[in-house]
Amino acid sequence: MRIVFAIILMWSAMPAAAADLTVRIGNLRSAEGQLLVAVCEEAQFTKPGCAYTGQAPASGGVVTVRDVPPGTYAIQAIHDENGNGTLDRRLMFLPLEGIGFSRNAPMRRGPPRFADAAVEIQGDGVVSFDMAYFQE
Protein backbone atom coordinates (compact mmCIF):
# COMPACT_ATOMS: atom_id res chain seq x y z
CA MET A 1 0.00 0.00 0.00
CA ARG A 2 2.85 2.40 0.82
CA ILE A 3 4.43 1.74 -2.56
CA VAL A 4 1.18 2.57 -4.38
CA PHE A 5 0.82 5.78 -2.33
CA ALA A 6 4.44 6.75 -3.09
CA ILE A 7 3.93 6.17 -6.81
CA ILE A 8 0.76 8.29 -6.79
CA LEU A 9 2.59 11.10 -5.00
CA MET A 10 5.50 10.99 -7.44
CA TRP A 11 3.16 10.95 -10.45
CA SER A 12 1.08 13.89 -9.19
CA ALA A 13 4.25 15.93 -8.56
CA MET A 14 5.48 15.48 -12.13
CA PRO A 15 5.00 18.48 -14.40
CA ALA A 16 2.32 18.18 -17.03
CA ALA A 17 3.64 17.26 -20.44
CA ALA A 18 3.60 19.53 -23.45
CA ALA A 19 0.67 18.96 -25.77
CA ASP A 20 -0.77 20.05 -29.10
CA LEU A 21 -2.97 23.12 -29.31
CA THR A 22 -5.53 23.49 -32.10
CA VAL A 23 -6.27 27.08 -33.08
CA ARG A 24 -9.50 27.62 -35.06
CA ILE A 25 -9.75 30.96 -36.81
CA GLY A 26 -13.01 32.33 -38.15
CA ASN A 27 -14.03 35.36 -40.20
CA LEU A 28 -11.36 34.80 -42.86
CA ARG A 29 -11.61 37.24 -45.78
CA SER A 30 -10.38 34.61 -48.25
CA ALA A 31 -8.91 31.13 -48.49
CA GLU A 32 -5.71 32.52 -50.01
CA GLY A 33 -2.29 32.31 -48.36
CA GLN A 34 -1.29 31.02 -44.95
CA LEU A 35 -2.36 31.38 -41.35
CA LEU A 36 0.61 32.12 -39.09
CA VAL A 37 0.01 31.51 -35.38
CA ALA A 38 2.19 32.28 -32.36
CA VAL A 39 1.47 31.15 -28.80
CA CYS A 40 3.28 33.65 -26.59
CA GLU A 41 4.24 34.19 -23.01
CA GLU A 42 3.75 37.74 -21.77
CA ALA A 43 7.31 38.93 -22.49
CA GLN A 44 7.06 37.94 -26.18
CA PHE A 45 3.44 38.88 -26.85
CA THR A 46 3.11 41.02 -30.04
CA LYS A 47 6.87 40.74 -30.62
CA PRO A 48 8.88 38.38 -32.80
CA GLY A 49 10.29 35.30 -31.14
CA CYS A 50 7.37 33.48 -29.53
CA ALA A 51 8.55 29.99 -28.67
CA TYR A 52 5.50 28.11 -30.00
CA THR A 53 4.38 28.67 -33.58
CA GLY A 54 2.51 26.96 -36.35
CA GLN A 55 1.19 27.62 -39.81
CA ALA A 56 -1.30 26.10 -42.21
CA PRO A 57 -3.12 26.98 -45.41
CA ALA A 58 -5.81 29.58 -44.77
CA SER A 59 -8.33 27.43 -46.65
CA GLY A 60 -8.70 25.16 -43.61
CA GLY A 61 -9.00 27.86 -40.93
CA VAL A 62 -7.16 25.62 -38.46
CA VAL A 63 -3.55 25.64 -37.25
CA THR A 64 -1.97 23.09 -34.90
CA VAL A 65 0.81 24.31 -32.63
CA ARG A 66 2.85 21.37 -31.34
CA ASP A 67 4.39 20.75 -27.92
CA VAL A 68 2.97 23.67 -25.95
CA PRO A 69 3.68 23.23 -22.22
CA PRO A 70 0.94 24.06 -19.73
CA GLY A 71 0.78 27.73 -18.83
CA THR A 72 -0.81 31.09 -19.49
CA TYR A 73 -0.37 32.38 -23.03
CA ALA A 74 -1.81 34.86 -25.50
CA ILE A 75 -2.27 33.68 -29.05
CA GLN A 76 -1.79 35.91 -32.06
CA ALA A 77 -2.52 35.09 -35.68
CA ILE A 78 -1.86 36.65 -39.06
CA HIS A 79 -3.67 35.88 -42.30
CA ASP A 80 -0.71 36.13 -44.64
CA GLU A 81 -2.78 36.36 -47.82
CA ASN A 82 0.14 37.01 -50.19
CA GLY A 83 2.39 34.33 -48.63
CA ASN A 84 5.41 36.58 -47.94
CA GLY A 85 5.74 35.42 -44.31
CA THR A 86 5.01 38.78 -42.71
CA LEU A 87 2.15 41.10 -41.79
CA ASP A 88 1.95 43.75 -44.49
CA ARG A 89 1.10 47.23 -43.19
CA ARG A 90 0.04 50.56 -44.61
CA LEU A 91 1.99 53.60 -43.45
CA MET A 92 4.06 51.31 -41.18
CA PHE A 93 1.08 50.90 -38.84
CA LEU A 94 -2.33 49.69 -40.03
CA PRO A 95 -2.35 46.03 -41.08
CA LEU A 96 -3.32 45.32 -44.68
CA GLU A 97 -3.81 41.64 -43.88
CA GLY A 98 -5.90 39.99 -41.20
CA ILE A 99 -4.79 39.89 -37.60
CA GLY A 100 -6.43 38.25 -34.59
CA PHE A 101 -5.90 37.48 -30.93
CA SER A 102 -7.16 34.86 -28.50
CA ARG A 103 -10.37 35.75 -26.66
CA ASN A 104 -11.02 38.16 -29.56
CA ALA A 105 -9.06 40.67 -27.51
CA PRO A 106 -9.90 44.18 -28.69
CA MET A 107 -7.41 46.32 -30.56
CA ARG A 108 -7.75 49.91 -29.44
CA ARG A 109 -5.14 52.20 -30.94
CA GLY A 110 -2.73 49.30 -31.12
CA PRO A 111 -2.40 45.66 -30.10
CA PRO A 112 -4.36 44.33 -27.13
CA ARG A 113 -2.96 43.90 -23.66
CA PHE A 114 -1.67 40.46 -22.73
CA ALA A 115 -4.29 40.19 -19.97
CA ASP A 116 -7.11 40.71 -22.50
CA ALA A 117 -5.88 37.86 -24.71
CA ALA A 118 -4.55 35.48 -22.02
CA VAL A 119 -5.75 31.87 -22.02
CA GLU A 120 -4.78 28.99 -19.77
CA ILE A 121 -3.43 25.98 -21.69
CA GLN A 122 -3.46 22.60 -19.94
CA GLY A 123 -2.79 19.69 -22.28
CA ASP A 124 -4.38 19.18 -25.69
CA GLY A 125 -6.93 21.86 -26.34
CA VAL A 126 -8.75 24.07 -28.80
CA VAL A 127 -8.82 27.86 -28.88
CA SER A 128 -11.10 29.70 -31.30
CA PHE A 129 -11.19 33.36 -32.29
CA ASP A 130 -11.90 35.58 -35.29
CA MET A 131 -9.65 37.40 -37.70
CA ALA A 132 -10.04 41.18 -37.96
CA TYR A 133 -9.36 43.25 -41.08
CA PHE A 134 -8.88 46.98 -41.40
CA GLN A 135 -10.18 48.94 -44.38
CA GLU A 136 -7.69 49.44 -47.19
Side-chain angles (χ1 to χ4, degrees):
M1 183 67 162
R2 288 183 184 167
I3 294 174
V4 171
F5 184 68
I7 291 172
I8 291 172
L9 276 178
M10 286 179 10
W11 185 47
S12 65
M14 296 174 110
D20 294 343
L21 176 65
T22 300
V23 181
R24 297 185 188 276
I25 301 171
N27 193 41
L28 294 173
R29 177 164 59 191
S30 74
E32 300 298 315
Q34 296 282 311
L35 294 174
L36 310 175
V37 172
V39 178
C40 308
E41 294 176 326
E42 188 168 9
Q44 286 79 38
F45 182 56
T46 70
K47 299 176 182 133
C50 293
Y52 311 103
T53 61
Q55 72 178 51
S59 59
V62 176
V63 178
T64 300
V65 181
R66 306 258 182 234
D67 299 323
V68 179
T72 302
Y73 301 95
I75 303 165
Q76 54 198 28
I78 295 170
H79 182 189
D80 181 21
E81 290 179 277
N82 62 6
N84 68 354
T86 188
L87 177 64
D88 295 330
R89 299 172 184 265
R90 177 183 51 222
L91 303 174
M92 305 277 297
F93 178 68
L94 287 177
L96 292 172
E97 298 174 301
I99 187 167
F101 299 93
S102 46
R103 297 181 56 204
N104 288 316
M107 293 175 272
R108 296 182 189 102
R109 298 183 184 148
R113 297 178 314 136
F114 179 84
D116 291 337
V119 292
E120 189 70 26
I121 305 297
Q122 297 293 331
D124 288 346
V126 177
V127 174
S128 300
F129 56 91
D130 290 329
M131 194 63 66
Y133 298 88
F134 295 88
Q135 297 300 321
E136 294 185 30

